[in-house]
Amino acid sequence: SVVVCVDPGAQNSRDADDSPVVAPADTASVVGTASVVVCVDPGAQNSSDTDDLPVGAPASESDEDRGVRELMDLFLPGMPFCGLGGSSTESERRSLCRRLLRKNACSVVPCVPRLKHALNWRAKHDALFSERRFAVAGDYRVIGADLDRRPVLYTCMKNQLLPYSQFRDQQVVTMLHAIDNMPGGAGAAIQICDLHGMRLRMADLNPAPLVEWARSQENYFAGMMLEVIIIDMPRMASYLKEAVWPLMPAGVKQRIKFMSLQQAKEHLETACDAEVAGRIAEVMEQNRDCSISLEERQQTWTRVDHSGTPVPMVAQS
């Protein structure tokens, strides 16, 4: 059981973004701007779940639902997260809480600092989240779903139009499309990075954008990447891997798989239905066909919506 304590003297001792916060316990809340720290009430460990539920909470509330409720309480007026997250909606914040809880075994305490980081990151990119407009940097999009309805995202480096440092906006919007396609806005996805035709620019040798993106995968997009499939990694990319790998969160490393084109095809044949596996295989072969121009390939860049229907990768204005 988590109990909220208040340290009034710590209010001005540090930057607000660095102050520790915790979710309120079912039986306690704090109103004000004081610094909040976590304490554990060991005597509450043996109390029954139903005794701890607040008035109005269902008796059969799951650990995940209870965690979502406790985290959402942090957004109430006077609570630490009130006003954080830019223009995010209640539904968006609820989905974020659910993703963090699934990532952290439904434990509220480790979710709190990650939630704060995610909210600040979300506010920093508020316009991008609201408008979903981006400069097309490549063919990164939701190309289908696996047998468990998890979105499959795909990009091929042969189609890279901008340096990786300018790729973030399209990455964020594509991840939002994946969330749109997930039941309840929470779940996992498969990421396919096809490195065929990769051309490293000088700007691409800076690992900072990759590290920032990897960290967002552990916070705002927590738990979304079931696996990352990297296809046909060229030798010249080994420098970037060696530079980035030590900085990658351990959870991200565990989900990365390196495959050849044939291995990827065989893997997708077991993970997806015939239509989706065939669509991805066709796209990968198209990207390796020297007779097809970039302009011709761009005409085929479609994503799928929540119903699985192909739609333009970039929304028509």
Side-chain angles (χ1 to χ4, degrees):
S1 173
V2 179
V3 180
V4 171
C5 301
V6 181
D7 177 10
Q11 183 172 350
N12 299 317
S13 64
R14 67 191 72 180
D15 185 89
D17 186 54
D18 295 330
S19 60
V21 290
V22 299
D26 294 336
T27 57
S29 63
V30 174
V31 177
T33 57
S35 176
V36 183
V37 298
V38 66
C39 299
V40 178
D41 178 11
Q45 292 180 354
N46 296 323
S47 61
S48 67
D49 291 340
T50 54
D51 289 342
D52 287 341
L53 289 176
V55 175
S60 59
E61 189 177 40
S62 68
D63 290 341
E64 182 178 303
D65 289 339
R66 183 185 300 109
V68 170
R69 175 170 51 75
E70 292 182 4
L71 290 174
M72 289 298 292
D73 282 347
L74 289 170
F75 294 97
L76 295 175
M79 295 301 289
F81 291 170
C82 180
L84 295 186
S87 62
S88 59
T89 64
E90 179 180 349
S91 175
E92 181 183 341
R93 295 191 293 270
R94 192 175 295 276
S95 294
L96 171 58
C97 292
R98 198 171 295 279
R99 291 196 299 274
L100 286 169
L101 286 163
R102 292 182 181 180
K103 173 71 175 179
N104 293 280
C106 292
S107 178
V108 171
V109 173
C111 289
V112 175
R114 291 177 172 86
L115 178 57
K116 184 178 182 180
H117 182 281
L119 292 168
N120 289 332
W121 185 84
R122 164 67 171 81
K124 180 181 177 181
H125 306 296
D126 198 44
L128 178 61
F129 274 73
S130 301
E131 300 172 7
R132 296 195 179 188
R133 295 179 182 274
F134 58 88
V136 176
D139 63 341
Y140 189 53
R141 76 269 198 195
V142 180
I143 198 170
D146 69 2
L147 295 175
D148 293 318
R149 299 178 59 196
R150 291 180 291 232
V152 178
L153 291 69
Y154 176 86
T155 186
C156 180
M157 297 306 292
K158 184 177 182 179
N159 298 318
Q160 182 181 1
L161 303 177
L162 298 174
Y164 193 81
S165 59
Q166 301 175 40
F167 201 54
R168 184 210 61 207
D169 288 359
Q170 185 170 353
Q171 287 177 313
V172 171
V173 173
T174 300
M175 293 293 281
L176 295 177
H177 289 155
I179 292 174
D180 291 343
N181 291 5
M182 294 176 179
I190 297 173
Q191 164 85 54
I192 302 175
C193 296
D194 189 347
L195 301 191
H196 172 75
M198 184 177 189
R199 303 180 304 279
L200 283 177
R201 302 169 170 86
M202 287 300 296
D204 293 330
L205 298 180
N206 179 9
L210 282 171
V211 174
E212 179 188 359
W213 179 246
R215 287 175 177 166
S216 74
Q217 301 291 304
E218 295 297 292
N219 292 291
Y220 191 87
F221 298 116
M224 281 190 59
M225 287 294 108
L226 176 70
E227 61 181 9
V228 179
I229 301 173
I230 297 180
I231 302 173
D232 288 351
M233 182 174 180
R235 290 184 179 180
M236 67 177 179
S238 60
Y239 163 80
L240 194 57
K241 178 190 173 184
E242 291 173 3
V244 171
W245 200 253
L247 305 175
M248 286 282 189
V252 174
K253 291 181 183 179
Q254 294 172 358
R255 295 190 293 273
I256 296 178
K257 300 178 180 179
F258 296 91
M259 299 184 182
S260 66
L261 174 63
Q262 185 58 37
Q263 288 171 331
K265 286 181 178 180
E266 294 172 357
H267 177 75
L268 292 169
E269 285 173 358
T270 61
C272 307
D273 64 28
E275 179 182 359
V276 172
R279 180 190 305 145
I280 300 173
E282 181 180 0
V283 168
M284 292 192 294
E285 291 294 349
Q286 181 188 76
N287 289 326
R288 288 161 172 76
D289 189 338
C290 296
S291 67
I292 302 177
S293 68
L294 172 62
E295 291 72 20
E296 291 173 321
R297 294 196 303 274
Q298 285 180 299
Q299 297 303 313
T300 70
W301 292 357
T302 59
R303 65 179 179 88
V304 297
D305 62 15
H306 66 280
S307 67
T309 303
V311 298
M313 186 184 75
V314 180
Q316 303 298 316
S317 57

